[in-house]
Amino acid sequence: MNNSIVTEFMILGLTQKRELEGLLFIIFLFTYFVAFLGNMLIVIAIVYNATLHTPMYLLLLALAIVDIICTTSIIPKILATMLTSRKTISYGACMSQLFFFTWSLGAEMVLFTTMAYDRYVAICFPLRYSAIMNHFMCVALLSIVMAIAVINSWVHTGLILRLTFCGSNTIDHFFLMVYVADITLAVGDFTLTCISYCFIIAAILRIRTTEGKRKAFSTCSSHLIVVSLYYSPVIYTYIRPASSYTFERDKVVAALYTLVTPTLNPIVYSFRNKDMQAGIKKVFAFLKH
């Protein structure tokens, strides 16, 4: 038995086929730039436009920042390992990657729940929305999101740091994965989000006019689409039969976590939201001058 302490890990990556690595590199590079630039554009548009300084868009701003951190903590290292034959990551870099990745996943889940609550208040209590979702409430909600995310990440990273890695240092993945993690957080956030949308749907159905129902649904449709895209791989991960589990399939699910969802978030919110479209146009107009 090899009792030497592991100082670095060998990452096998997405595939062992060299002929596929070039294609995967182009796909990941392009998608990362779309995710990074798309979310950065949302950040600039919201910060730059005073008309977007509302609770809904402040939460969207936080989500965009979290998505940037999520993709940047994983994807650049994937791209680097695809370019070299030495596919390694140091112990310290691996632990840092684990901390920021679990932080971003935890923050994203709690943010989705917070955004669902914001839409619940907007649709179910429209006349009291400004009073309920005031500046103090926004700061309190975002502070709770960050606190839960940091605690969640510290617990996971702290438990991993207590382990002694010896023997084989090969990881059959493209990052260190914590498999039995976030179950309570994911189930709790998903349940609260579903409860919020049950109240939202009930409130929409009580609206008498078709135009009123359409406007009410349009205020939460983007968030509903993004939540569905995010929780689909999460639900698949936890309810799939053990007999269907494979490392290759798990890598695909992890790719959805780290790349696809953060890429689609800015696209969904920008294409389906007139206020965001107006804010982005102002940014481009400012850059032209």
Side-chain angles (χ1 to χ4, degrees):
M1 180 178 178
N2 184 4
N3 290 319
S4 60
I5 302 300
V6 171
T7 58
E8 65 178 17
F9 295 101
M10 180 74 68
I11 303 176
L12 297 184
L14 286 168
T15 180
Q16 300 302 301
K17 299 178 180 178
R18 295 293 300 177
E19 61 273 15
L20 290 179
E21 283 198 335
L23 176 61
L24 289 174
F25 177 84
I26 294 173
I27 293 173
F28 269 67
L29 180 63
F30 174 76
T31 312
Y32 173 66
F33 272 119
V34 172
F36 183 85
L37 295 176
N39 283 292
M40 186 60 71
L41 187 59
I42 285 182
V43 171
I44 296 171
I46 294 175
V47 172
Y48 177 72
N49 292 279
T51 56
L52 298 179
H53 293 177
T54 63
M56 174 182 172
Y57 294 108
L58 289 177
L59 294 174
L60 179 57
L61 170 65
L63 179 63
I65 294 173
V66 169
D67 281 339
I68 290 172
I69 295 173
C70 178
T71 53
T72 304
S73 66
I74 299 293
I75 306 304
K77 184 59 182 179
I78 297 176
L79 297 174
T81 56
M82 287 181 180
L83 290 176
T84 62
S85 57
R86 184 174 173 79
K87 302 179 183 299
T88 60
I89 182 171
S90 67
Y91 178 84
C94 189
M95 293 303 106
S96 298
Q97 187 184 79
L98 174 64
F99 176 84
F100 285 107
F101 183 62
T102 53
W103 176 86
S104 59
L105 287 185
E108 197 163 32
M109 279 191 286
V110 184
L111 264 175
F112 282 141
T113 305
T114 307
M115 295 170 79
Y117 173 74
D118 173 71
R119 293 300 84 204
Y120 159 73
V121 176
I123 293 174
C124 296
F125 305 99
L127 299 179
R128 297 174 55 195
Y129 177 75
S130 298
I132 297 175
M133 295 298 295
N134 53 35
H135 177 75
F136 175 79
M137 178 61 77
C138 290
V139 172
L141 289 173
L142 287 174
S143 299
I144 292 172
V145 169
M146 295 302 109
I148 292 175
V150 169
I151 293 172
N152 174 63
S153 188
W154 269 119
V155 168
H156 288 147
T157 309
L159 291 174
I160 294 295
L161 287 172
R162 291 169 63 91
L163 299 177
T164 300
F165 293 93
C166 58
S168 176
N169 65 336
T170 301
I171 300 175
D172 190 10
H173 217 287
F174 55 93
F175 61 90
L176 183 60
M177 191 76 171
V178 181
Y179 290 98
V180 187
D182 291 330
I183 296 179
T184 303
L185 191 60
V187 172
D189 285 320
F190 181 71
T191 301
L192 290 174
T193 301
C194 288
I195 291 173
S196 295
Y197 271 99
C198 286
F199 283 109
I200 289 171
I201 293 171
I204 292 175
L205 292 176
R206 287 196 297 267
I207 299 175
R208 296 182 180 181
T209 64
T210 303
E211 181 64 19
K213 290 181 179 180
R214 187 190 65 79
K215 288 183 178 180
F217 181 75
S218 66
T219 63
C220 60
S221 58
S222 296
H223 179 255
L224 187 58
I225 292 171
V226 169
V227 168
S228 300
L229 291 171
Y230 180 82
Y231 276 108
S232 294
V234 176
I235 293 172
Y236 170 79
T237 300
Y238 291 123
I239 70 171
R240 62 184 171 178
S243 58
S244 68
Y245 175 81
T246 64
F247 274 115
E248 296 302 319
R249 191 173 297 175
D250 198 67
K251 291 176 185 179
V252 173
V253 174
L256 293 175
Y257 271 120
T258 57
L259 201 60
V260 177
T261 303
T263 303
L264 293 177
N265 283 353
I267 295 174
V268 171
Y269 277 108
S270 60
F271 276 104
R272 297 184 60 86
N273 191 297
K274 292 181 180 180
D275 292 333
M276 274 304 307
Q277 290 174 11
I280 291 172
K281 287 179 181 178
K282 288 183 180 179
V283 173
F284 282 119
F286 175 78
L287 293 175
K288 286 182 180 180
H289 290 85

